[in-house]
Structure formats: structure tokens, C-alpha cells
Amino acid sequence: MRLLVVGSVAFDAVRTPRGSVERMVGGSATYFSVAASYFTQVRVVGVVGDDFEDEHHQVFLERGICTEGLERVPGKTFFWSGEYSADLNDRRTLATELNVFASFQPKLPLHYRRTPYLFLGNIDPELQSLVQRQMEAPQLVAGDTMNFWIEGKRDKLEETLRNIGVLIINDSEARLLSGEHNLIKAARAIRAMGPQMLVIKRGDNGATLFREGEIFSVPALPLEDVFDPTGAGDSFAGGFMGYLASHSIEGNGPDPGVLRRAVIYGSVMGSFAVEHFGLERLRRLSRPQIETRYKEFQILTRFD
Ligand code: AMP
């Protein structure tokens, strides 16, 4: 197994201009691991309540994701609910009920500790650190966070950031974290906090990778029908890390070409995620469909 993710496994309720769903399986670790599972073998660490039934587990099992690290404890599963604006660019959180997450203390099974690639999904930075400390010399650690933690647990988040190689966040989070509006300045400030690499996701404006001496930008695939943007960011991260984890790292970090292709595969998985509610589209893909969309990105961005 190549890639370990810790993050939320949730029930979500979402309302978008295309409709609404009252209860569906979601969570940062769920979107991430399903997207990454098309590229590599994935282990998930998280917690669910006793309302998380076998049919919900299927989301992981049907994709061959290892759930040994997914604890099931008495109580209710994390619940999140959100509503999107008419242009889908703004999202309002209606409810965040931590439930079983409130007392979660991740404890990695012994054989998980040597997984070479680690993704710290969007959860309390204290829990992210707890997982970091249990790992034995991972080759690459990536992470995500959100406004909720940047505002609420800044000190703890800065501690986590010191040991992250790639931070993957959206533009508003990058601005909030750095205090800089300009994204080049924001990226410089964030990289000074620890991460050597930073990926800033900009919704339907695409994504940009920043690292020493390099900026690489890709547009989002123009889509005619967007149903539900929930999980697009985590699916991006899953495609990005899943692709990286299917390659070995030699020397000083990932190969530059592999890194750029990882940004494209991230964008591909993000584009699939939004085409249906929840995980509906993402969980029923095939590798040829993914490659076809990768080629659409090549055609879209070729100019020479
Ligand atoms: P994304 O749209 O990629 O930002 O991710 C959406 C997912 O994040 C949803 O499935 C939620 O269950 C999950 N989520 C929302 N808020 C939080 C939070 N505070 N902590 C952990 N997960 C969250």
C-alpha cells in the first residue's frame, strides 16, 4: 500500500442550484481516497459512528481501499451541510456537527506507519500532527486545511505546516493563511511556513503549483453541467497524490514532469467530482475515461 489518508468521513447534506440531497456519504478522506484509488493503493484513517452501515462502507470497499484504520465507535458520524450560490462559486456552511470526531484520537495500525505517501486531509491540525508523529520516515507528506482551522487553531496549524512538503488549499484559504491578497506573495509567505510546494486551487479558474523557481498553472476543464462542487478539492488532492504515489521519488523530491502531470490528474478528478451529486460520478469511473479526460486537458492547453 502506497498512500495513507487521514481525514473526515461524513454524512453530507447539500443544496445546489441543480437540486439537493439530504444525506449522502462524504468527507475529505472519502473523496480523496476514492479519487486516489484509480492510481494507487490507498489506506484510510478516520472515524465513523454506528450509523455508518455496511452499504456506506461499500464506497471504500468497491474501490479496494483499505479501511482497517477506519474506526467505528458508538455515536453519530460527522455531519456537514452546505448550500451553494447560484453561480456555484460561494458556499455557505449550514452545519458542522463533529459528533464522533470530537473525541477522535487517530492511532495508526503498526503496519500503516511505513506507508511512503501521506495526505493529511482537512481535519483539526492537532489530529494531523498526531498522525504525522506516528509515521516512520514518509517520502512525501501533503496536507489540506480550511478557514475553520486557520481562524480557530492557527498555532497548531503552523506546527503541522512545518512538516508538510506540499500544501493543497484554495485561493481564499491561501489569502487568509498568508494575509496577502496577491497569490504570488501569498505563496511565498506560505512556503516560508514550511511547505516546499504549494498548490492553490481556484475552483473553475483552475489550479496553480508553486515551488522554488517554478509556477505551473492549468485551467479547469470547461464543463457544461455542474451539479455539485462538494468534494472537488479533495478529489483534486486524491488525483494529485494518487498519481505521485504511483511513481517513486529519487533524489530531491518528485520529478518535475511527474509533478506537472499530477496537477493535471488532480484537475481531471476534480472535474469528474462536480458532474454529479456527492460521489456518484467519481465512484463509477474507469481508467480509460480518466485518460480520455487527461487528453482533453492536453488539447485544451496546447498552443505550440
Ligand atoms: P471540499 O468540497 O473538497 O472542500 O470538501 C467537502 C467535504 O469536506 C465534505 O464532504 C465535508 O464532509 C467535509 N468537511 C466540511 N467541513 C469540514 C470540517 N470542518 N472538518 C472536516 N471535514 C469537513
Side-chain angles (χ1 to χ4, degrees):
M1 291 268 172
R2 301 277 302 164
L3 174 59
L4 190 149
V5 53
V6 56
S8 57
V9 176
F11 285 123
D12 291 344
V14 296
R15 222 176 292 154
T16 87
R18 299 301 301 260
S20 61
V21 176
E22 286 310 312
R23 191 178 191 252
M24 61 187 178
V25 176
S28 57
T30 316
Y31 282 102
F32 178 93
S33 54
V34 170
S37 69
Y38 290 96
F39 302 91
T40 193
Q41 294 150 317
V42 188
R43 294 170 158 154
V44 61
V45 171
V47 65
V48 291
D50 47 19
D51 52 357
F52 203 83
E53 315 270 357
D54 288 351
E55 58 174 300
H56 306 122
H57 259 108
Q58 273 310 316
V59 169
F60 298 102
L61 301 184
E62 73 191 12
R63 294 293 321 139
I65 297 160
C66 176
T67 57
E68 247 175 273
L70 186 61
E71 273 179 56
R72 193 165 185 270
V73 300
K76 282 169 77 177
T77 298
F78 176 88
F79 176 75
W80 174 82
S81 142
E83 180 181 35
Y84 291 85
S85 62
D87 65 3
L88 295 167
N89 282 329
D90 289 311
R91 173 165 91 187
R92 197 158 64 95
T93 291
L94 302 174
T96 301
E97 295 169 15
L98 292 178
N99 299 329
V100 292
F101 244 103
S103 50
F104 179 50
Q105 293 285 302
K107 219 169 145 257
L108 304 194
L110 279 179
H111 61 286
Y112 270 36
R113 299 178 185 212
R114 286 186 165 235
T115 316
Y117 291 74
L118 169 65
F119 183 71
L120 302 167
N122 168 31
I123 48 169
D124 186 332
E126 283 189 69
L127 300 186
Q128 293 180 320
S129 281
L130 203 61
V131 171
Q132 265 174 331
R133 288 200 292 273
Q134 292 173 54
M135 294 293 285
E136 290 172 21
Q139 286 177 29
L140 186 69
V141 180
D144 182 13
T145 191
M146 70 183 292
N147 302 11
F148 192 74
W149 308 117
I150 299 171
E151 287 169 331
K153 290 219 173 172
R154 183 153 192 129
D155 291 353
K156 295 289 171 196
L157 180 62
E158 285 182 5
E159 225 176 281
T160 309
L161 286 177
R162 279 196 273 280
N163 297 306
I164 280 185
V166 194
L167 185 67
I168 306 172
I169 52 178
N170 69 32
D171 46 359
S172 67
E173 292 156 354
R175 290 185 170 116
L176 187 66
L177 182 59
S178 64
E180 296 279 2
H181 185 79
N182 179 282
L183 289 181
I184 298 177
K185 289 182 182 162
R188 191 178 303 126
I190 292 169
R191 290 185 55 242
M193 296 176 192
Q196 285 180 315
M197 292 173 268
L198 174 70
V199 179
I200 299 183
K201 299 165 289 180
R202 292 175 295 121
D204 62 1
N205 288 315
T208 305
L209 165 78
F210 297 87
R211 61 178 192 144
E212 188 61 41
E214 182 183 6
I215 299 181
F216 175 61
S217 229
V218 292
L221 193 73
L223 295 171
E224 224 171 300
D225 260 331
V226 173
F227 276 78
D228 173 17
T230 309
D234 301 307
S235 306
F236 176 99
F240 176 85
M241 280 299 278
Y243 183 73
L244 283 184
S246 67
H247 293 76
S248 55
I249 292 182
E250 277 151 33
N252 219 359
D255 173 83
V258 171
L259 206 52
R260 285 183 172 221
R261 285 194 286 281
V263 177
I264 305 294
Y265 278 110
S267 308
V268 164
M269 300 315 281
S271 76
F272 281 125
V274 304
E275 284 186 321
H276 217 303
F277 280 95
L279 286 147
E280 281 316 297
R281 180 85 170 107
L282 207 61
R283 67 193 286 193
R284 296 184 212 290
L285 291 172
S286 66
R287 195 60 200 253
Q289 286 175 314
I290 292 171
E291 295 309 325
T292 300
R293 196 156 279 196
Y294 180 89
K295 290 197 182 85
E296 286 176 45
F297 266 94
Q298 281 181 323
I299 294 164
L300 182 72
T301 54
R302 188 181 298 145
F303 61 91
D304 227 351

